[in-house]
């Protein structure tokens, strides 16, 4: 499908010539209404004329396009946006392109040379973009382009003023990309090369003629299209070629010693290492950038215990074993995407032993079932791509022998029932690295999103045989711990046989390790025959619990944890023993034929049957807001103490339906570790909100902003109104409920 801009309103600054003109023509040709802005100056910013903009508007109209001219300087940002609103009623795209040059060697750069360049490029882009910003935010769509330059990225003789302004625009774009993200307002930066009046003085004429602006415009159009999800990117573009840039950072070197002052001599002595780009990292956020520095602090703290005496890295036994936690922890693996349809859900269900023999398995095996669902433990499948694709081997500080890697433990938590088709994106982070003596344990946290919304969280615990002894810590507060079962006979036992081809079937869900199919590969690993995937037994055990204690209702499933103890051979029978303790079902899985425990310390957490699950509520026709409160309740359970510290207030809610109070809720983030209950607060709530069920949903989903709801009288607030700002902590991320 071709990319259309029908219905979109696009402002291109400096569109009277060169690149800007080309963008304006291209947008108009694809249906956009275009504001052709140009002050009509000479290349140094002198003079003024309406001719340049008028000519381009005429060109567009002659071809049947929609355009109006604006002759203001970008320093009058508001006026440019006003022209868009007056002529077309909205603003969707801003291409900051206007520019001039005042090249001088640095020593000869006057105040005016400096100021004019900053004013037109950097300040002008700021003013125009700020004027458009709230319109874009409110309509939940906006695309912004900043025009930087190779001179800014690399420096260029005689362009100190211009380089500074151009890279300033990149800094501006970096932050706008972050602030705009949740409103679907994206900002990207281009560094173009094209023949124009700006370049004709520095390039030979044939180059000016062949580097056509039309080789740049398609990138700008793509970045500004609603289909494009790129945000915060920097691109070089010219001659029909486009490339993306990012920052790279050397592994670096710690140059200070604990309890000693840091010296310039130590910096000098480590200079080569500081500047060595071998195994460079690519931090993409301030958080990533800081994280590694903060981990230096904790590493230096623990140095005493390992008796380091020279520079930290040199002294660390880690360098010998190839594991260096301070480098590895916090590293992100490249994100992975996973697209699936009902086929994968069904294949997975068969892979973990579901069968049409059992009539209530049909809801997982037949896409035509009225309640067709995906098994909850399918949640491990999209997330494992990060591991399967060898992501771990690219992590600096994890130089390990991959033939020695065992899957030790697994934790999976769902935040909502899994969809039966769609596209999921997973982001994996090294959460921690532990030293168990005989080996190292790598904790890999993987968050999986569907359209920006968190669907599930996995923690892979990977044991690397022989990689221990690097002097790291043994335990981590980040680890999801296994829990032994109660010391009584199990409340329920289910026995289920795997088939000879169980592993051959399970692997089709995406775990292609030959260990599970290839006899000679299995023999190299010391096994008599290919073994069943640990995650396959995990799937068996989870569905036994789901059937036994949750009537096969996937929305009751919350989380599962298992520790893999021994392998299972395809064809053996699995015996799942279960103990119910409230909403937690402890499990232990054995091979029936040998009585060997294969899954230990395991449990499944269920949502209580009466607990509000999104499905029950929507089907039950209750208030829509109940959904949100149910979710808030879950979050308070998980994070209560932290929220109490942050918020320290009691919020009362009165939800109305058809003008009458239909429900009352209390969110107590002041007492104990926080709580949610239905009904009014026994004491005096710090602030009480009254809002209709519909308006509540609009606000929570971000369709109406709370201030607007307040000023229009839809949201009534009693008590300490300032506290409503803290609601953000509990309400954010519920936007897409
Ligand atoms: P150009 O000179 O053909 O176009 C710039 C336009 O901006 C002119 O029509 C000018 O009248 C207008 N303008 C100047 N001051 C203005 C103001 N205060 N308000 C409104 N309009 C104003 O130049 P070209 O080459 O098309 O450049 C476009 C952008 O691309 C500039 O920001 C330039 O710095 C940047 N760029 C261009 C490169 C190239 O190879 N052509 C290389 C790197 C960056």
């Amino acid at each position: 499908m071709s990319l259309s801009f029908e219905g979109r309103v696009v402002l291109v600054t400096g569109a009277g010539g060169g690149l800007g003109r080309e963008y304006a023509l291209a947008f108009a040709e694809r249906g956009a209404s275009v504001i052709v802005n140009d002050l009509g100056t000479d290349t140094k910013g002198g003079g003024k004329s309406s001719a340049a903009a008028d000519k381009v508007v005429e060109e567009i109209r002659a071809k049947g396009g929609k355009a109006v001219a604006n002759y203001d300087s970008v320093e009058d940002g508001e006026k440019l946006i006003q022209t868009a609103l007056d002529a077309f009623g909205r603003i969707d795209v801003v291409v900051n392109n206007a520019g001039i040059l005042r090249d001088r060697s640095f020593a000869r750069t006057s105040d005016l040379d400096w100021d004019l360049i900053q004013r037109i490029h950097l300040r002008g882009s700021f003013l125009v973009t700020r004027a458009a910003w709230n319109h874009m935010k409110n309509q939940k769509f906006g695309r912004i382009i900043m025009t930087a330059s190779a001179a800014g990225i690399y420096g260029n003789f005689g362009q100190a003023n211009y380089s500074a302004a151009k890279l300033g625009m990149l800094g501006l774009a970096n932050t706008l990309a972050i602030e705009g993200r949740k409103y679907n307002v994206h900002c990207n930066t281009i560094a173009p090369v094209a023949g124009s009046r700006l370049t004709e003085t520095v390039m030979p004429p044939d180059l000016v003629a062949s580097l056509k602006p039309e080789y740049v415009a398609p990138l700008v159009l793509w970045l500004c299209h609603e289909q494009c999800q790129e945000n915060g990117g920097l691109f070089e573009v010219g001659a029909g070629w486009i490339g993306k840039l990012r920052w790279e950072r050397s592994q670096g070197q710690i140059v200070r010693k604990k309890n000693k002052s840091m010296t310039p001599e130590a910096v000098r002595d480590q200079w080569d290492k500081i500047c060595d780009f071998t195994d460079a990292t690519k931090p993409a956020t301030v958080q990533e950038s800081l994280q590694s520095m903060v981990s230096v602090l904790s590493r230096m703290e623990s140095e005493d215990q390992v008796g380091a005496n020279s520079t930290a890295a040199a002294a660390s036994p880690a360098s010998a074993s190839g594991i260096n936690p301070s480098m590895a922890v916090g590293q992100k693996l490249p994100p992975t995407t996973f697209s699936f349809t009902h086929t994968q859900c069904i294949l997975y269900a068969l892979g973990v032993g579901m069968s049409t023999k059992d009539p209530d398995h049909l809801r997982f095996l037949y896409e035509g079932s009225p309640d067709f669902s995906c098994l909850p433990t399918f949640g491990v499948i999209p997330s494992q791509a990060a591991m399967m694709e060898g992501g771990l081997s690219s992590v600096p500080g994890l130089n390990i022998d991959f033939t020695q890697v065992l899957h030790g433990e697994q934790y999976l938590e769902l935040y909502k029932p899994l969809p039966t088709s769609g596209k999921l994106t997973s982001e994996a982070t090294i959460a921690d690295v532990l030293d168990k003596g005989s080996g190292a344990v790598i904790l890999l946290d993987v968050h999986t999103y569907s359209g920006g919304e968190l669907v599930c969280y996995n923690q892979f615990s990977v044991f690397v045989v022989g990689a221990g002894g690097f002097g790291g810590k043994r335990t981590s507060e980040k680890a999801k711990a296994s829990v032994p079962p109660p010391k009584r006979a199990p409340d329920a036992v289910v026995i289920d046989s795997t088939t000879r081809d169980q592993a051959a079937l399970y692997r089709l869900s995406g775990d292609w390790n030959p260990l599970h199919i290839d006899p000679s590969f299995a023999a190299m690993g010391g096994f008599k025959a290919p073994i069943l995937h640990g995650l396959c037994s995990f799937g068996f055990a989870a569905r036994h619990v789901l059937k036994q204690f949750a009537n096969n209702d996937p929305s009751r499933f919350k989380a599962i944890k298992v520790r893999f103890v021994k392998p299972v051979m395809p064809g053996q029978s699995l015996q799942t023993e279960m103990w119910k303790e409230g909403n937690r079902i402890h499990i232990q899985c054995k091979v029936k034929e040998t009585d060997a425990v294969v899954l230990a310390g395991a449990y499944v957490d269920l949502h209580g049957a009466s607990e509000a699950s999104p499905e029950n509520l929507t089907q039950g026709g209750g208030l829509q807001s109940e959904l949100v409160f149910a979710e808030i309740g879950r979050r308070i359970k998980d994070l209560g103490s932290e929220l109490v510290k942050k918020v320290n207030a009691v919020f009362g809610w009165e939800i109305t339906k058809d003008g009458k109070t239909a429900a009352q809720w209390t969110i107590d983030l002041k007492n104990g570790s926080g709580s949610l209950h239905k009904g009014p607060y026994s004491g005096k709530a710090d602030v009480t909100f009254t809002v209709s069920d519909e308006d509540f949903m609009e606000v929570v989903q971000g369709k109406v902003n709370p201030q607007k709801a307040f000023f229009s009288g839809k949201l009534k607030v009693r008590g300490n109104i300032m506290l409503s700002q803290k609601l953000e902590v509990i309400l954010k991320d519920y936007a897409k409920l």
Side-chain angles (χ1 to χ4, degrees):
M1 269 268 287
S2 64
L3 298 171
S4 163
F5 284 87
E6 209 65 55
R8 294 289 181 210
V9 177
V10 177
L11 163 67
V12 183
T13 71
L19 284 163
R21 169 178 168 273
E22 194 61 41
Y23 305 153
L25 292 172
F27 275 116
E29 196 173 303
R30 285 170 183 264
S33 304
V34 182
I35 294 83
V36 178
N37 155 267
D38 208 297
L39 184 60
T41 64
D42 63 28
T43 55
K44 290 190 158 62
K48 201 174 167 177
S49 147
S50 57
D54 283 342
K55 197 155 165 272
V56 176
V57 169
E58 272 161 35
E59 264 182 275
I60 291 175
R61 290 193 181 151
K63 290 188 189 160
K66 301 175 279 287
V68 296
N70 169 287
Y71 319 117
D72 294 304
S73 166
V74 287
E75 291 192 81
D76 290 316
E78 293 281 352
K79 291 191 185 160
L80 275 63
I81 300 303
Q82 197 55 50
T83 303
L85 299 178
D86 291 346
F88 305 114
R90 59 187 285 136
I91 179 72
D92 297 295
V93 173
V94 168
V95 182
N96 289 295
N97 166 78
I100 54 169
L101 283 179
R102 290 179 77 93
D103 294 357
R104 296 265 195 287
S105 64
F106 181 56
R108 286 155 45 92
T109 302
S110 69
D111 286 6
L112 186 65
D113 293 332
W114 178 265
D115 291 344
L116 265 182
I117 290 290
Q118 308 306 320
R119 273 168 44 194
I120 305 308
H121 290 273
L122 183 53
R123 190 158 186 273
S125 302
F126 155 65
L127 290 166
V128 173
T129 306
R130 190 181 59 181
W133 189 253
N134 279 340
H135 299 285
M136 293 179 167
K137 252 173 84 174
N138 291 341
Q139 73 199 13
K140 293 254 170 352
F141 177 80
R143 295 288 184 268
I144 298 161
I145 298 291
M146 296 292 170
T147 308
S149 159
I153 300 170
Y154 307 108
N156 197 23
F157 191 93
Q159 295 199 305
N161 52 356
Y162 181 77
S163 308
K166 285 303 197 190
L167 218 58
M169 290 172 70
L170 175 65
L172 173 60
N174 287 341
T175 293
L176 296 187
I178 294 169
E179 291 194 13
R181 182 173 295 142
K182 71 173 174 189
Y183 304 103
N184 191 20
V185 177
H186 295 172
C187 183
N188 289 288
T189 306
I190 61 162
V193 175
S196 77
R197 63 178 204 171
L198 279 193
T199 43
E200 69 191 1
T201 51
V202 289
M203 284 182 193
D206 52 339
L207 205 53
V208 171
S210 48
L211 286 172
K212 297 192 170 72
E214 65 208 58
Y215 300 148
V216 175
L219 169 64
V220 171
L221 265 71
W222 165 239
L223 290 173
C224 294
H225 197 269
E226 64 205 22
Q227 274 179 25
C228 179
Q229 292 307 306
E230 185 70 39
N231 186 21
L234 169 63
F235 302 87
E236 286 189 86
V237 50
W241 170 91
I242 303 166
K244 183 171 180 178
L245 282 84
R246 66 179 171 193
W247 294 99
E248 205 179 56
R249 184 164 77 174
S250 71
Q251 286 282 331
Q253 180 70 0
I254 302 175
V255 293
R256 98 182 149 87
K257 295 174 203 165
K258 198 175 176 196
N259 301 330
K260 301 239 170 70
S261 52
M262 181 167 160
T263 65
E265 290 76 19
V267 178
R268 175 195 60 201
D269 297 343
Q270 298 292 335
W271 195 243
D272 286 349
K273 282 226 170 104
I274 292 168
C275 301
D276 178 359
F277 274 91
T278 312
D279 296 328
T281 61
K282 285 136 191 124
T285 62
V286 168
Q287 290 73 20
E288 277 176 55
S289 152
L290 258 182
Q291 209 161 28
S292 51
M293 272 177 244
V294 172
S295 71
V296 167
L297 296 177
S298 58
R299 170 135 171 234
M300 303 234 8
E301 270 316 301
S302 61
E303 236 175 50
D304 267 357
Q305 295 145 26
V306 297
N309 50 12
S310 159
T311 60
S316 168
S319 23
S321 81
I323 291 205
N324 185 339
S326 75
M327 260 182 208
V329 174
Q331 292 285 346
K332 290 191 172 5
L333 272 51
T336 54
T337 55
F338 178 80
S339 295
F340 68 111
T341 65
H342 61 261
T343 310
Q344 278 82 359
C345 305
I346 295 169
L347 190 61
Y348 175 82
L350 291 168
V352 298
M354 293 211 121
S355 157
T356 51
K357 271 188 286 183
D358 198 336
D360 57 349
H361 284 180
L362 213 56
R363 70 178 295 180
F364 301 106
L365 293 175
Y366 172 43
E367 72 287 3
S369 309
D371 48 2
F372 178 60
S373 311
C374 187
L375 268 178
T377 45
F378 182 74
V380 297
I381 301 295
S383 70
Q384 70 186 4
M387 307 264 292
M388 298 299 156
E389 287 160 20
L392 277 183
S393 60
S394 66
V395 175
L398 285 189
N399 298 321
I400 48 179
D401 176 357
F402 279 86
T403 63
Q404 298 302 310
V405 166
L406 301 173
H407 192 173
E409 300 183 23
Q410 183 74 24
Y411 177 80
L412 162 70
E413 181 165 351
L414 298 189
Y415 298 103
K416 52 180 297 195
L418 294 169
T420 52
S421 65
K423 186 171 167 190
L424 302 173
T425 307
S426 295
E427 292 175 1
T429 310
I430 308 292
D432 221 338
V433 182
L434 308 178
D435 187 349
K436 298 283 188 188
S438 61
V441 169
I442 301 169
L443 296 179
L444 185 71
D445 277 354
V446 186
H447 289 89
T448 300
Y449 301 85
S450 167
E453 183 188 10
L454 184 59
V455 177
C456 64
Y457 158 69
N458 276 274
Q459 184 175 75
F460 291 81
S461 174
V462 178
F463 192 80
V464 191
V465 181
F470 53 88
K473 53 186 184 173
R474 280 191 75 85
T475 56
S476 166
E477 70 285 358
K478 294 199 182 123
K480 296 282 179 185
S482 53
V483 183
K487 290 192 174 55
R488 60 168 198 268
D491 302 327
V493 179
V494 171
I495 298 170
D496 206 350
S497 53
T498 66
T499 70
R500 179 71 179 73
D501 290 317
Q502 203 71 55
L505 186 57
Y506 181 83
R507 65 193 292 276
L508 302 182
S509 284
D511 185 338
W512 305 104
N513 187 341
L515 176 64
H516 307 291
I517 186 94
D518 182 340
S520 50
F521 194 92
M524 279 194 303
F527 298 103
K528 279 201 237 102
I531 59 171
L532 191 61
H533 304 70
L535 282 177
C536 180
S537 317
F538 161 98
F540 267 78
R543 69 175 177 74
H544 291 158
V545 173
L546 201 63
K547 179 170 170 115
Q548 191 72 32
F549 292 99
N551 200 23
N552 271 331
D553 175 0
S555 71
R556 295 274 313 278
F557 181 95
K558 181 170 185 248
I560 178 169
K561 169 77 194 184
V562 308
R563 185 155 59 83
F564 303 108
V565 184
K566 276 210 166 111
V568 176
M569 297 318 229
Q572 288 182 321
S573 299
L574 286 170
Q575 173 170 328
T576 307
E577 301 168 345
M578 297 169 259
W579 293 259
K580 182 166 173 8
E581 295 272 289
N583 284 335
R584 174 161 289 182
I585 315 298
H586 294 271
I587 27 182
Q588 171 167 279
C589 227
K590 289 178 175 167
V591 167
K592 180 163 182 289
E593 290 80 3
T594 61
D595 208 35
V597 173
V598 289
L599 301 182
Y603 63 83
V604 169
D605 283 340
L606 297 171
H607 294 298
S610 58
E611 210 176 301
S613 90
E615 281 63 33
N616 296 344
L617 281 161
T618 38
Q619 280 161 16
L623 296 172
Q624 297 180 70
S625 54
E626 310 247 325
L627 275 169
V628 179
F629 283 106
E631 183 61 26
I632 290 174
R634 268 173 231 147
R635 298 288 164 104
I636 293 178
K637 261 189 213 142
D638 289 350
L639 295 169
S641 335
E642 205 180 298
L643 290 172
V644 168
K645 252 189 249 148
K646 265 195 206 148
V647 178
N648 190 33
V650 177
F651 301 92
W653 287 88
E654 291 173 5
I655 305 294
T656 63
K657 182 101 189 158
D658 305 322
K660 294 193 203 88
T661 304
Q664 284 182 298
W665 291 93
T666 303
I667 301 177
D668 180 351
L669 294 177
K670 197 175 202 169
N671 303 299
S673 56
S675 63
L676 168 82
H677 73 261
K678 207 164 181 179
Y681 187 47
S682 48
K684 189 170 172 299
D686 293 292
V687 55
T688 302
F689 304 94
T690 307
V691 61
S692 76
D693 193 41
E694 297 77 28
D695 292 335
F696 178 83
M697 291 310 289
E698 298 261 289
V699 170
V700 170
Q701 291 171 340
K703 291 187 187 149
V704 169
N705 90 16
Q707 282 92 342
K708 220 168 157 185
F710 174 71
F711 286 116
S712 63
K714 288 181 173 171
L715 176 72
K716 297 198 178 65
V717 186
R718 292 197 309 274
N720 183 352
I721 189 165
M722 293 311 287
L723 282 172
S724 39
Q725 286 175 8
K726 295 201 174 174
L727 270 181
E728 168 119 5
V729 192
I730 14 178
L731 288 181
K732 75 169 181 222
D733 300 335
Y734 297 96
K736 288 179 197 122
L737 263 171

